[in-house]
């Protein structure tokens, strides 16, 4: 009902840019916004940039994060993290 905001940061890592990407979740308390979570791809192997966070969507309590350059083996197949 408009009280959750997801901000995508493709290529963001914990220290700098050039990483796999992150998504930051904020929740409103009616007065302001507070960061409540930092989401990142759990299976990132450290090579390449999967573009995690290029797209985000929410529906109720569900957050979907697109990663179009995610790889499976040597093939780029893309992924959606829910």
């Amino acid at each position: 009902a408009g009280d959750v905001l997801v901000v995508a940061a493709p290529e963001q890592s914990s220290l700098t840019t050039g990483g796999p990407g992150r998504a930051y979740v904020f929740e409103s308390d009616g007065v302001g916004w507070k960061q409540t979570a930092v989401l990142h791809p759990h299976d990132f192997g450290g090579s390449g940039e999967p573009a995690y966070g290029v797209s985000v969507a929410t529906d109720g309590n569900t957050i979907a994060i697109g990663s179009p350059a995610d790889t499976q083996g040597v093939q780029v197949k893309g992924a959606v993290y829910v």
Side-chain angles (χ1 to χ4, degrees):
D3 57 355
V4 174
L5 172 70
V6 181
V7 178
E11 299 184 21
Q12 181 70 41
S13 72
S14 60
L15 301 175
T16 185
T17 59
R22 289 178 178 242
Y24 299 88
V25 180
F26 296 85
E27 293 184 42
S28 173
D29 61 7
V31 177
W33 293 87
K34 296 185 181 190
Q35 182 178 323
T36 56
V38 178
L39 308 175
H40 52 85
H42 61 85
D43 56 355
F44 179 64
S47 61
E49 295 175 1
Y52 178 89
V54 163
S55 58
V56 297
T58 62
D59 184 17
N61 291 331
T62 304
I63 299 170
I65 302 171
S67 183
D70 197 82
T71 59
Q72 301 294 318
V74 296
Q75 295 181 336
V76 176
K77 295 194 177 221
V80 175
Y81 293 81
V82 180

